[in-house]
Amino acid sequence: MSGVQQLQAAPRTGWHVAEVVETRRETPSAARITLDVDGWPGNLAGQHLDVRLTAPDGYTATRSYSIASSGDGERVVLAVDRLPDGEVSPFLVDELRAGDRLEVHGPLGAFFVWRPPADGGTGRPVQLIAGGSGVVPLVAIARAHAEAGDATPFRLLYSVRTPDDVFFADELETAARGPAPFAVEFVYTRRAPAGTDAPVGRITRERLAAGVIGADAAPVVYVCGSTGFVERVAGWLIELGHHQTAIRTERYGGT
Amino acid sequence: MQHFDGNLLAGPLADVFAFDPTGARARCNGCGAVAELATMLVYRSGAGSVARCRDCGAVLLSLVDGDGRMFVNFIGMGAIEIATTGRDDA
Ligand SMILES: Cc1cc2nc3c(=O)[nH]c(=O)nc-3n(C[C@H](O)[C@H](O)[C@H](O)COP(=O)(O)OP(=O)(O)OC[C@H]3O[C@@H](n4cnc5c(N)ncnc54)[C@H](O)[C@@H]3O)c2cc1C
Ligand SMILES: [Zn+2]
C-alpha cells in the first residue's frame, strides 16, 4: 500500500466507547463536549459520528453529531445545540458530565469531507456556508486548512442568531489570522454586535450572492445546517450559477 | 415529516457494508441521475428510513431497523460505483 493511498483512505468505521473528558458551555444554548474515544482511528475534517444512548429498559436513541476536530488521536470535540423539545440534545447539553460514558459509531461520512490538496498546490477555492450549529464540521475544515498552511482561498459565511450564539469564535478568529487564506462573514438573524450597523435578518439570495465566492471562480461549496436552511441556500446557489456537483450539503433535520 | 440527507445513513450503511458507502455513487432507476449516496433525501420515521432521489423523488432505498435485525432494500438504484483505490483495505 502506498503512502498516498493511506492518506486518502477514510479511517475504518466502528462502534466505540467514549468517555466525556470535559463539557462546557459553548453558547447560551449549546455545549462543547470533548470525548476520549477508545480505539478511535482518527477522522477527516467534516466527518460525523452517531451517538447511541441506551435507557435502563433497553430503549435506545441514536443521533448524528459533526466533529469539530480532525486528525489522529483519540480526542474528539463535538458541539451540541439544545432543541428545547428534543429527546437527545437537552440531555447532552445539560446533563452530561465529565466521566460519563457514551457509545459512538464512527468516523462517518465519506462525502462531506475536506482534505488538503495532496500535491501541496492550491485546489479550487472553498466556500463554507453554515446555519447555526451547522458550523461544526466547517470549523473542522477551516482548522485543517489553517493547520495545513494550505494556500487555497477559503471563506465562511455563517448565519447565526446573535454574536453570543457563535460557536468556536476563538478558533475561527485564530484561523482567520493564520497564514492560510480564510475570511469569515456573519449574517445575524436576530441581533448584530453592539455599535455596528450590520443588517439583521434571515439570509436572502442577495446577501448570499454578496457574501460568497462567485460561480465564475468555480468554488467547491459546503453547506450545512437545518434542512430548511440548506435547501434554501443550495437552491439559490444553483440560481447564482454554481454547479450542483460543486455543492456539498449536510442536512441536520428540522424545517 | 422532517427530512435529512444520505449523510444520516452513513452509520447504518457502514454496519451493512464493511465501510461507509455514502461517498459512492449510484444510478437512480427512475430518472437515470448518478449521484453520491450522501445526496439522497432521507425521510426518517419510527419504522426506519426511506431515501429518495434528489432529482426525481423516486425511492432509492429503504432501511428498517429493529429487533436485532436490519432490512435494507436498494429498491430504486442500479449498480453502486465504489472507489477501491482509496480504501485502506484495497
Ligand atoms: C450528519 C448530521 C450531523 C449533525 N451534527 C450536529 C451537530 O454537530 N450539532 C448539533 O447540535 N446537531 C447536529 N445534528 C442534529 C442532531 O443529529 C439532532 O437531530 C439534534 O440534536 C436534535 O436531536 P433531539 O433528539 O434533541 O431532537 P428530536 O427529538 O429528534 O427532535 C425534536 C424536535 O426538533 C426538531 N428538529 C430536529 N432537528 C432539528 C434541527 N437541526 N433544527 C431545528 N429543529 C430540529 C424536530 O422536527 C422535532 O420537532 C446533526 C445531524 C446530522 C444528520
Ligand atoms: Zn431520480
Side-chain angles (χ1 to χ4, degrees), chain A residues 1-228:
Chain A
M1 191 192 326
S2 80
V4 171
Q5 278 181 332
Q6 252 174 335
L7 246 175
Q8 289 177 340
R12 293 287 289 202
T13 291
W15 284 96
H16 302 272
V17 174
E19 185 173 315
V20 178
V21 178
E22 189 194 14
T23 168
R24 66 163 156 114
R25 202 125 296 285
E26 181 68 28
T27 73
S29 66
R32 183 186 305 199
I33 300 166
T34 305
L35 301 175
D36 198 358
V37 188
D38 188 37
W40 187 254
N43 63 272
L44 302 170
Q47 287 193 295
H48 65 278
L49 51 71
D50 286 354
V51 173
R52 180 165 65 195
L53 304 178
T54 306
D57 67 357
Y59 173 80
T60 62
T62 304
R63 294 291 184 276
S64 303
Y65 292 98
S66 298
I67 305 170
S69 52
S70 68
D72 296 336
E74 302 198 334
R75 283 286 159 98
V76 164
V77 179
L78 311 179
V80 178
D81 203 17
R82 181 199 314 113
L83 295 180
D85 58 343
E87 197 177 312
V88 170
S89 60
F91 169 81
L92 295 176
V93 174
D94 300 323
E95 311 293 339
L96 204 64
R97 295 286 176 271
D100 287 350
R101 282 164 180 251
L102 296 169
E103 277 182 295
V104 304
H105 187 199
L108 300 172
F111 177 67
F112 201 82
V113 294
W114 180 81
R115 300 174 173 87
D119 54 7
T122 62
R124 290 164 66 183
V126 173
Q127 177 70 52
L128 310 173
I129 306 177
S133 57
V135 79
V136 175
L138 307 184
V139 167
I141 291 173
R143 289 166 90 184
H145 169 250
E147 276 154 31
D150 172 38
T152 309
F154 262 57
R155 274 165 80 169
L156 166 64
L157 184 66
Y158 185 2
S159 167
V160 64
R161 282 182 297 244
T162 77
D164 299 335
D165 294 299
V166 174
F167 283 45
F168 298 101
D170 292 348
E171 287 77 3
L172 289 174
E173 220 181 284
T174 305
R177 276 200 314 266
F182 178 59
V184 186
E185 190 177 323
F186 295 97
V187 173
Y188 297 102
T189 61
R190 303 263 179 81
R191 174 170 56 80
T196 70
D197 55 3
V200 172
R202 283 227 296 202
I203 191 163
T204 59
R205 195 183 122 142
E206 289 61 43
R207 289 209 65 192
L208 182 74
V212 301
I213 301 170
D216 46 346
V220 179
V221 189
Y222 293 78
V223 190
C224 186
S226 70
T227 296

Side-chain angles (χ1 to χ4, degrees), chain A residues 227 254-255, chain B residues 1-4 42-46 48-50:
Chain A
T227 296
T255 45
Chain B
M1 194 196 301
Q2 67 168 330
H3 69 280
F4 298 82
V42 173
Y43 297 79
R44 190 176 64 183
S45 75
S49 300
V50 170

